[in-house]
């Protein structure tokens, strides 16, 4: 194709060969992205146009370039697959003949065009079989085997193989109705009798070149996914096993064997499965050689085959008791793959494939009745103990020197791999029980007490990691080895960050056990406090201290002073990242909650005073990005402290009713609000004395700069305190102030603040739900609020529209009981209905239709007589709510909405969904399949 830029094709341009070619030039070579997009849009319209039947064949002329030919072939496929019902039955044969002719012609031409033509013929065959084309596959084979002097024999063979390969693939993605799919699948399964002998012949021929055999294996791989009986595939599977010895065919042969073995129906053919075990075991020598030579691709492929057989059919093979030894040999082969030498993912990528097999095998063994299960446990418990050893060996870190050369991506993959091993160990505990913990403890004990053969830190770390994996999820409170483990931990010589991390996480996993055995806390707490000062152990040490403070807080008072002192020191030194500082404050909140009130106040004074002083200093400075971040950080620390500081169990009333008036500036407002929001949620009624001052401060903040965080906190206060007479006046004043400021924002233009509008609508809904009396206030402009809600329904942001719908579904039921609301709905309800119908008509996302239906349901229930008039008037407008719906369809929808079914919310939602599809021109199209 010559490179030239074309003007954008007009939307009204005829779909001719010349215009299609111009548009394709533009799509491929025009540097202007807008022109490319216009061309693509026009070409998509061309492909589905009636003229496509004409220009497609012309685009396939041999003098055209491949890009043009490909478009022609694709257009044919789209017309056949999507618009089959448009093709008269008397044209089936000529269409079939033309496709065969072009495939033969392109057998020696462009491969991408050949494949597309094959896909088109495959689609035609699937639509015609079995009635209109009863022996489609056999005819294809016969047609291409016929002598044709114009086409090279190998080219014809490749074209046939391509056609046979895409046929099952096209079936998998076809749009055939479900009843037809079952019918066609059955026909294709029978037709494999015409395909498999040909494939066997081509694989067995000595003179078949490698690329033909590769195509044969791909074709077989495609057909087995049609659930062909496994016994019918036996010969080809054996041939594929033979092909594994050929490096050129290895990858394709692996794919074929794995697909054949993995089909769900295969487990019915137990005898065939048993025949497959010897050839799989026969690959062990090839596997060992691949491992020795570092051939990761070969070891990976052989492992995939062994795992496919074991994982998919372990239950069926376990049931064959007389063949238990051959299956055990397969299990041991998979064990070799699990323990394949080298570090994942640098030296090997195979071992991770096997982990799911061990889950499956365990589930199948434990699903047997008790007697049979006992027999298998006797055989497989030693195997699973061996698996634990193998997994812990694979979980070991490489040497420090080697690990230093790993990329960050390799380190992350190794971390995820260790998590997978951890999950497997936790699962295996169900099979091995307490004996597994005893085994790990004995090994760790021998390792730490053997002075003659000092162990590597990697070995110690892996054993601890195994312990931690189990203790994190399994209740080890009754284990008799945990006391010994707690005693061993201080003996570990920690000379490495990874080992220290695992020691910390292990202690953290035992925090619940420590809560039941507080006498042992002193054995490990010093280690944790010491680790707090090491920034490299930041995550593990802080998270472990947090767990201990949460689980053991009532046993920590003797250590509280030390914990607070060390924590304060590391906080002041700023050696931890922000998130770990927040965790540390949460830990201190848990710790202080268990102390006497006097001790709490004393510790809070020493803990908070430095931060209050910093805040005062920062508040006096001119606002800038640096001090803004500092203020946010300090407020975050205080917020996290308040999240976990719970003194509700204390009888003493030592509450302070003074709210520190924090500096109001643009940046920190969300953080200030976060402190109080978490405090309100934690303290609930105990927060009551601070409500008036908090309302006053919130009002100041929101008046200065409206922000979502202030509305969210106002909503919390309305939810918790608005129903209490003592707190109603300050909350009412705050609600009115927030509403007034937000209404002003609407007058200035709310489109730049969809998040504020969203939160404001949620606040209004909460007020109506918890304290409808707020809408009786003379200072509240209910009409303006209503109009803002209607405007919000037209926002493009789905969350904002959803919140607005929520407001109206709370407001409409109050028409009768709140006079101002009733009056506003009576006067302005038509505008609400208009906005709802516009949304249904296509202005809003289809995902919001249930929420619009809720408003219609509420209007129906509480304003039926008004709705009857409004909907009739609205629907009389031409082109409303969509130009795509007819007057009859609009009338039908109106009658449905007002019918007796209006009391059924589910039916109203269905009516709205049906009508919105009509409005959008989508009714009956593929886009509505899951709608």
């Amino acid at each position: 194709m010559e490179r030239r830029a074309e003007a954008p094709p007009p939307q009204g341009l005829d779909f001719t060969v010349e215009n299609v070619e111009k548009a394709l030039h533009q799509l491929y070579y025009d540097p202007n992205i807008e022109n490319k997009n216009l061309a693509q849009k026009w070409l998509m319209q061309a492909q589905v146009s009636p003229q496509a039947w004409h220009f497609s064949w012309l685009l396939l002329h041999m003098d055209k370039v491949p890009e043009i030919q490909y478009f022609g072939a694709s257009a044919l496929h789209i017309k056949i697959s999507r618009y089959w019902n448009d093709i008269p039955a008397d044209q089936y044969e000529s269409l079939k003949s033309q496709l065969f002719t072009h495939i033969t012609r392109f057998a020696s031409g462009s491969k991408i065009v050949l494949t597309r033509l094959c896909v088109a013929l495959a689609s035609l065959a699937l639509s015609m079989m079995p009635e209109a084309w009863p022996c489609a596959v056999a005819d294809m084979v016969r047609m291409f085997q016929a002598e044709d002097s114009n086409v090279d024999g190998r080219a014809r063979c490749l074209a046939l193989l391509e056609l046979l390969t895409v046929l099952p693939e096209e079936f998998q993605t076809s749009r055939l109705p479900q009843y037809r799919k079952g019918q066609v699948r059955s026909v294709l399964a029978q037709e494999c009798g015409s395909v498999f002998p040909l494939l066997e012949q081509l694989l067995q021929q000595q003179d078949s070149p490698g690329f033909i055999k590769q195509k044969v294996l791909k074709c077989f791989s495609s057909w087995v996914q049609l659930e062909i009986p496994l016994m019918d595939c036996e010969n080809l599977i054996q041939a594929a096993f033979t092909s594994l010895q050929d490096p050129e065919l290895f990858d394709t042969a692996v794919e074929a064997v794995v697909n054949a073995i993995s089909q769900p129906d295969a487990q019915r053919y137990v005898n065939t499965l048993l025949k497959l075990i010897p050839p799989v075991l026969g690959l062990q020598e090839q596997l060992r050689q691949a491992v020795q030579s570092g051939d990761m691709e070969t070891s990976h492929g052989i492992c995939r085959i062994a795992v496919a057989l074991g994982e998919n059919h372990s239950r069926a093979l376990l049931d064959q008791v007389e063949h238990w030894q051959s299956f055990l040999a397969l299990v041991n082969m998979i064990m070799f793959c699990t323990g394949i030498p080298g570090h994942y993912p640098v030296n090997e990528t195979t071992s991770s494939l096997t982990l799911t097999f061990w889950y499956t095998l365990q589930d199948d063994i434990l699903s047997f009745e008790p007697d049979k299960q006992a027999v298998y446990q006797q055989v497989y418990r030693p195997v699973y103990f061996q698996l634990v050893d193998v997994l812990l060996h694979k979980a070991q870190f490489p040497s420090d020197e080697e690990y230093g050369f790993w990329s960050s991506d390799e380190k992350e993959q190794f971390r995820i791999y260790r998590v997978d091993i951890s999950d497997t160990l936790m699962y295996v505990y169900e099979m091995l029980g307490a004996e597994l913990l005893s085994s790990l403890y004995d090994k760790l004990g021998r390792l730490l007490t053997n002075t003659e053969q000092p162990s590597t830190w990697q070995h110690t770390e892996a054993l601890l990691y195994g312990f931690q994996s189990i203790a994190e999820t399994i209740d080890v409170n009754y284990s008799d080895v945990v006391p010994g483990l707690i005693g061993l931990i201080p003996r570990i010589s920690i000379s490495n960050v990874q080992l220290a991390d695992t020691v910390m996480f292990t202690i953290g996993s035992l925090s619940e056990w420590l809560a039941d055995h507080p006498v042992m806390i002193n054995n490990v707490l010093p280690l944790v406090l010491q680790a707090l000062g090491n920034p490299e152990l930041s995550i593990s040490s802080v998270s472990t201290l947090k767990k201990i403070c949460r689980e053991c807080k009532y046993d920590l008072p003797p250590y509280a002073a030390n914990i607070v002192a060390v924590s304060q020191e590391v906080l002041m030194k700023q050696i931890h990242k922000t998130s770990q500082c927040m965790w540390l404050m949460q830990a201190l909140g848990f710790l202080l909650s268990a102390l006497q009130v006097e001790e709490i106040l004393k510790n809070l004074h020493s803990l908070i005073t430095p931060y209050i002083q910093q805040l005062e200093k920062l508040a006096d400075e001119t606002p800038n990005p640096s001090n803004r971040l500092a203020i946010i950080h300090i407020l975050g620390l205080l917020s996290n402290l308040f999240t976990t500081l719970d003194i509700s169990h204390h009888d003493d009333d030592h509450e302070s009713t003074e709210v520190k008036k924090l500096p109001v500036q643009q940046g920190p407002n969300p953080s200030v609000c976060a402190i109080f929001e978490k405090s309100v949620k934690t303290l609930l009624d105990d927060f009551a004395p601070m409500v008036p001052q908090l309302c006053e401060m919130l009002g100041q903040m929101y008046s200065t700069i409206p922000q979502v965080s202030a509305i969210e906190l106002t909503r919390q206060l309305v939810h918790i305190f608005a129903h209490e007479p003592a707190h109603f006046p300050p909350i009412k004043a705050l609600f009115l102030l927030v509403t007034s400021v937000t209404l002003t924002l609407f007058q200035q233009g709310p489109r730049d603040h969809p998040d504020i509008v969203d939160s404001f609508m949620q606040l209004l809904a909460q007020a109506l739900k918890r304290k409808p009396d707020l809408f009786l206030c003379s200072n509240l402009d209910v009409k303006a609020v209503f109009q803002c809600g209607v405007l919000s329904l037209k926002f493009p942001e789905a969350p904002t529209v959803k919140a607005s719908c929520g407001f109206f579904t709370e407001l409409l039921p109050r028409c009768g009981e709140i006079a101002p609301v009733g009056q506003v709905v009576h006067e302005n309800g038509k505008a609400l209905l208009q906005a709802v119908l516009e949304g249904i008509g296509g202005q809003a996302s289809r995902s919001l239709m249930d929420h619009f239906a809720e408003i219609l349901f509420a209007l129906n229930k509480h304003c039926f007589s008004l709705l009857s008039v409004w909907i009739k008037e609205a629907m009389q407008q031409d082109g409303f709510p969509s130009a795509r719906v007819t007057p009859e369809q609009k009338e039908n929808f109106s009658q449905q909405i007002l019918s007796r079914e209006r009391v059924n919310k589910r039916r109203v939602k269905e009516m709205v969904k049906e009508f919105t599809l009509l409005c959008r021109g989508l009714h009956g199209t593929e886009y509505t399949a899951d709608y």
Side-chain angles (χ1 to χ4, degrees):
M1 293 171 79
E2 80 179 272
R3 296 175 182 265
R4 56 182 179 143
E6 298 281 350
Q11 292 301 302
L13 206 62
D14 291 339
F15 298 123
T16 63
V17 175
E18 294 76 18
N19 289 336
V20 169
E21 289 194 40
K22 286 179 184 177
L24 285 166
H25 274 290
Q26 186 175 311
L27 178 67
Y28 284 111
Y29 300 122
D30 193 322
N32 187 313
I33 191 68
E34 289 184 15
N35 289 349
K36 282 179 179 287
N37 291 338
L38 280 171
Q40 185 175 32
K41 188 176 179 182
W42 186 85
L43 287 165
M44 287 171 70
Q45 293 171 349
Q47 279 188 317
V48 300
S49 69
Q51 294 91 324
W53 286 119
H54 174 69
F55 68 65
S56 294
W57 300 111
L58 298 176
L59 295 175
L60 286 166
H61 282 179
M62 299 307 287
D63 59 345
K64 305 288 185 187
V65 292
E67 291 93 333
I68 290 177
Q69 294 169 334
Y70 180 83
F71 182 81
S74 293
L76 282 173
H77 172 241
I78 286 171
K79 295 297 288 183
I80 293 168
S81 61
R82 296 189 192 174
Y83 301 96
W84 176 252
N85 293 331
D86 295 348
I87 306 173
D90 59 1
Q91 291 185 20
Y92 291 172
E93 287 303 319
S94 64
L95 186 55
K96 183 205 306 182
S97 176
Q98 280 179 289
L99 283 169
F100 268 123
T101 301
H102 279 81
I103 288 172
T104 305
R105 193 175 296 159
F106 276 91
S108 303
S110 168
K111 291 290 176 274
I112 59 168
V113 181
L114 172 65
T115 299
R116 215 75 208 128
L117 286 168
C118 288
V119 171
L121 180 57
S123 186
L124 178 82
L126 295 172
S127 297
M128 289 178 67
M129 64 174 60
E131 293 86 0
W133 195 357
C135 302
V137 179
D139 286 352
M140 292 174 187
V141 174
R142 189 166 52 253
M143 185 80 69
F144 281 95
Q145 283 182 327
E147 287 298 326
D148 189 330
S149 55
N150 298 324
V151 183
D152 172 63
R154 282 184 179 171
R156 272 189 293 113
C157 181
L158 278 173
L160 173 59
L161 288 172
E162 183 66 24
L163 177 59
L164 294 176
T165 301
V166 301
L167 183 62
E169 293 170 356
E170 180 66 10
F171 170 77
Q172 303 290 1
T173 58
S174 69
R175 301 159 185 262
L176 294 171
Q178 205 57 44
Y179 79 95
R180 284 273 296 137
K181 270 216 162 188
Q183 189 182 35
V184 173
R185 184 192 295 276
S186 175
V187 171
L188 285 173
Q190 293 168 14
E191 293 250 38
C192 75
S194 302
V195 178
F196 283 10
L198 170 67
L199 300 184
E200 289 172 31
Q201 180 187 345
L202 289 170
L203 277 178
Q204 289 164 3
Q205 281 179 359
Q206 296 297 319
D207 60 342
S208 284
F211 62 88
I212 293 279
K213 289 184 176 180
Q214 196 165 61
K215 200 71 192 166
V216 168
L217 290 167
K218 283 183 180 175
C219 183
F220 172 55
S221 190
S222 178
W223 274 80
V224 293
Q225 295 178 62
L226 292 172
E227 297 180 15
I228 310 293
L230 192 63
M231 58 187 180
D232 294 344
C233 305
E234 253 185 73
N235 292 342
L236 280 168
I237 294 174
Q238 295 295 345
F241 270 109
T242 304
S243 301
L244 290 168
Q245 305 304 316
D246 185 338
E248 186 185 352
L249 302 177
F250 182 83
D251 289 341
T252 320
V254 167
E255 210 61 46
V257 173
V258 168
N259 284 342
I261 290 173
S262 302
Q263 56 172 308
D265 202 42
Q267 58 191 353
R268 291 170 47 198
Y269 305 95
V270 177
N271 289 336
T272 305
L273 289 173
L274 289 170
K275 288 180 188 176
L276 293 177
I277 294 180
V280 173
L281 295 177
L283 298 171
Q284 289 181 96
E285 184 55 37
Q286 189 178 355
L287 173 62
R288 287 193 184 90
Q289 288 176 6
V291 170
Q292 285 174 4
S293 62
D295 182 354
M296 290 167 66
E297 285 75 17
T298 299
S299 56
H300 195 84
I302 293 173
C303 174
R304 281 187 64 200
I305 292 172
V307 169
L309 183 57
E311 191 175 309
N312 288 289
H313 308 296
S314 64
R315 178 65 193 238
L317 294 171
L318 281 168
D319 274 328
Q320 309 309 305
V321 180
E322 64 276 17
H323 297 280
W324 70 272
Q325 287 175 308
S326 62
F327 182 60
L328 183 59
L330 176 66
V331 171
N332 285 327
M333 181 179 177
I334 296 173
M335 180 75 78
F336 176 82
C337 295
T338 305
I340 204 160
H343 288 287
Y344 181 96
V346 176
N347 313 114
E348 62 91 8
T349 56
T350 298
S351 57
S352 61
L353 298 176
T354 66
L355 298 181
T356 312
F357 164 75
W358 299 108
Y359 285 75
T360 306
L361 178 61
Q362 178 176 312
D363 284 345
D364 288 336
I365 290 170
L366 297 181
S367 69
F368 286 123
E369 61 275 9
D371 291 347
K372 196 170 184 180
Q373 187 185 132
V375 174
Y376 281 106
Q377 286 257 21
Q378 195 173 354
V379 174
Y380 285 99
R381 274 177 70 84
V383 173
Y384 272 85
F385 273 112
Q386 182 190 351
L387 173 66
V388 171
D389 290 342
V390 168
L391 290 176
L392 291 178
H393 181 74
K394 293 296 294 182
Q396 287 185 25
F397 280 88
S399 68
D400 294 335
E401 183 182 1
E402 185 182 345
Y403 193 63
F405 286 109
W406 284 19
S407 68
S408 57
D409 185 52
E410 287 167 340
K411 288 177 180 177
E412 176 60 11
Q413 286 186 58
F414 182 59
R415 185 193 68 78
I416 295 169
Y417 175 67
R418 277 170 52 99
V419 171
D420 292 339
I421 286 177
S422 173
D423 291 342
T424 309
L425 289 170
M426 179 269 291
Y427 205 76
V428 167
Y429 181 84
E430 187 184 352
M431 177 90 150
L432 302 180
E435 198 177 336
L436 171 56
L437 288 177
S438 299
S439 169
L440 292 174
Y441 172 67
D442 290 344
K443 286 173 180 160
L444 185 62
R446 286 197 296 273
L447 211 61
L448 295 176
T449 55
N450 189 342
T451 53
E452 294 179 8
Q453 286 186 317
S455 62
T456 62
W457 70 263
Q458 287 93 338
H459 198 171
T460 305
E461 190 277 336
L463 284 168
L464 273 178
Y465 185 69
F467 241 115
Q468 172 210 327
S469 303
I470 296 162
E472 271 183 342
T473 48
I474 306 296
D475 182 4
V476 294
N477 284 3
Y478 303 102
S479 170
D480 56 357
V481 302
V482 175
L485 175 64
I486 296 285
L488 282 175
I489 285 175
R491 301 185 58 164
I492 297 173
S493 174
I494 301 176
S495 56
N496 177 277
V497 172
Q498 284 88 8
L499 175 59
D501 256 338
T502 303
V503 169
M504 286 299 108
F505 284 127
T506 304
I507 294 170
S509 71
L510 298 172
S511 56
E512 288 185 29
W513 184 90
L514 288 169
D516 291 337
H517 306 82
V519 71
M520 304 297 284
I521 291 174
N522 198 38
N523 278 44
V524 292
L525 187 59
L527 289 174
V528 178
L529 295 179
Q530 183 183 352
L532 275 182
N534 186 342
E536 290 185 296
L537 304 178
S538 184
I539 293 175
S540 59
S541 61
V542 175
S543 66
T544 296
L545 181 64
K546 181 181 168 184
K547 285 182 179 179
I548 291 174
C549 288
R550 185 182 64 216
E551 302 298 337
C552 312
K553 60 184 175 184
Y554 296 113
D555 301 299
L556 291 180
Y559 314 103
N562 195 17
I563 294 173
V564 171
V566 172
S567 300
Q568 274 189 286
E569 184 183 353
V570 299
L571 285 167
M572 286 300 145
K573 287 182 178 177
Q574 298 182 348
I575 62 173
H576 296 299
K577 291 182 179 177
T578 299
S579 55
Q580 278 71 59
C581 292
M582 303 304 161
W583 294 356
L584 192 49
M585 286 302 251
Q586 288 177 24
L588 294 174
F590 285 124
L591 174 70
L592 298 182
S593 298
L595 302 182
Q596 292 300 310
V597 172
E598 291 77 7
E599 286 297 310
I600 294 175
L601 293 173
K602 177 184 167 186
N603 280 290
L604 278 178
H605 185 268
S606 66
L607 191 60
I608 292 177
T609 299
Y611 294 118
I612 298 298
Q613 290 169 348
Q614 285 183 50
L615 275 179
E616 289 175 334
K617 182 184 173 187
L618 290 165
D620 291 336
E621 296 177 3
T622 305
N624 62 66
S626 176
N627 61 26
R628 178 179 180 274
L629 288 174
I631 292 173
I632 290 173
H633 178 73
I634 293 170
L635 293 176
L637 293 174
L638 299 177
S639 171
N640 278 276
L641 177 65
F642 296 155
T643 302
T644 54
L645 178 57
D646 179 10
I647 57 170
S648 57
H649 62 285
H650 290 291
D651 295 327
D652 309 66
D653 185 9
H654 286 270
E655 293 164 346
S656 170
T657 59
E658 182 178 350
V659 177
K660 179 77 177 175
K661 289 194 176 179
L662 294 166
V664 177
Q665 45 179 300
Q666 183 167 358
N669 283 0
S671 302
V672 174
C673 293
I675 290 178
F676 289 110
E677 188 175 355
K678 290 177 180 177
S679 301
V680 168
K681 287 179 178 177
T682 304
L683 298 174
L684 299 176
D685 290 341
D686 291 340
F687 192 88
M690 301 177 72
V691 168
Q693 288 167 290
L694 178 56
C695 288
E696 183 184 347
M697 189 187 79
L698 262 183
Q700 289 178 8
M701 291 169 64
Y702 195 70
S703 299
T704 307
I705 295 171
Q707 289 198 345
V708 169
S709 52
I711 303 181
E712 291 297 309
L713 182 49
T714 303
R715 185 158 64 92
Q716 283 294 333
L717 291 170
V718 169
H719 176 68
I720 296 170
F721 296 110
H723 63 286
E724 297 183 14
H727 303 306
F728 183 64
I731 287 175
K732 171 185 165 184
L734 174 62
F735 175 76
L736 292 173
L737 178 65
V738 168
T739 301
S740 173
V741 172
T742 310
L743 290 178
T744 305
L745 198 69
F746 265 88
Q747 291 170 359
Q748 296 168 352
R751 280 300 303 114
D752 295 332
H753 308 284
D755 52 343
I756 289 180
V757 176
D758 182 350
S759 293
F760 180 58
M761 290 295 135
Q762 291 185 53
L763 169 63
L764 295 173
Q766 185 69 266
L768 285 160
K769 193 182 297 183
R770 296 292 291 179
K771 195 64 176 174
D773 291 358
L774 286 166
F775 277 71
L776 287 169
C777 301
S778 57
N779 296 341
L780 181 66
D781 189 343
V782 178
K783 181 178 178 180
V785 168
F786 187 93
Q787 290 170 338
C788 290
V790 172
L791 185 60
S792 306
L793 288 174
K794 301 178 182 182
F795 272 46
E797 292 82 7
T800 306
V801 179
K802 183 178 174 182
S804 307
C805 291
F807 160 57
F808 283 114
T809 53
E810 290 294 338
L811 180 87
L812 293 170
R814 310 291 180 184
C815 286
E817 63 189 73
I818 303 176
V821 171
Q823 185 180 346
V824 167
V825 171
H826 188 275
E827 293 171 359
N828 300 273
K830 186 179 175 183
L832 169 61
L833 177 65
Q834 185 98 357
V836 169
L837 291 175
E838 283 175 9
I840 295 170
Q843 296 300 310
S845 165
R846 278 163 52 202
S847 65
L848 294 165
M849 290 307 108
D850 279 355
H851 303 287
F852 282 117
E854 294 270 4
I855 297 179
L856 280 179
F857 182 77
L859 282 168
N860 237 326
K861 190 172 182 181
H862 302 286
C863 317
F864 178 69
S865 57
L866 292 170
L867 177 63
S868 306
V869 177
W870 294 337
I871 198 167
K872 184 177 181 181
E873 292 174 355
M875 289 301 194
Q876 283 176 349
Q877 303 171 74
D878 289 338
F880 181 86
S882 165
R884 291 190 176 92
V885 284
T886 65
E888 292 77 18
Q889 289 170 328
K890 293 198 286 185
E891 177 63 23
N892 182 46
F893 175 65
S894 302
Q895 289 178 357
Q896 281 184 323
I897 288 295
L898 300 172
S899 69
R900 288 182 179 179
E901 288 190 298
R902 69 179 186 273
V903 298
N904 184 330
K905 191 182 290 188
R906 180 183 58 79
R907 276 295 296 131
V908 172
K909 289 181 178 180
E910 288 173 359
M911 294 171 198
V912 169
K913 285 184 177 180
E914 188 82 8
F915 188 61
T916 197
L917 294 177
L918 289 170
C919 289
R920 297 162 197 263
L922 296 175
H923 194 269
T925 67
E926 62 195 85
Y927 300 103
T928 65
D930 299 320
Y931 183 58

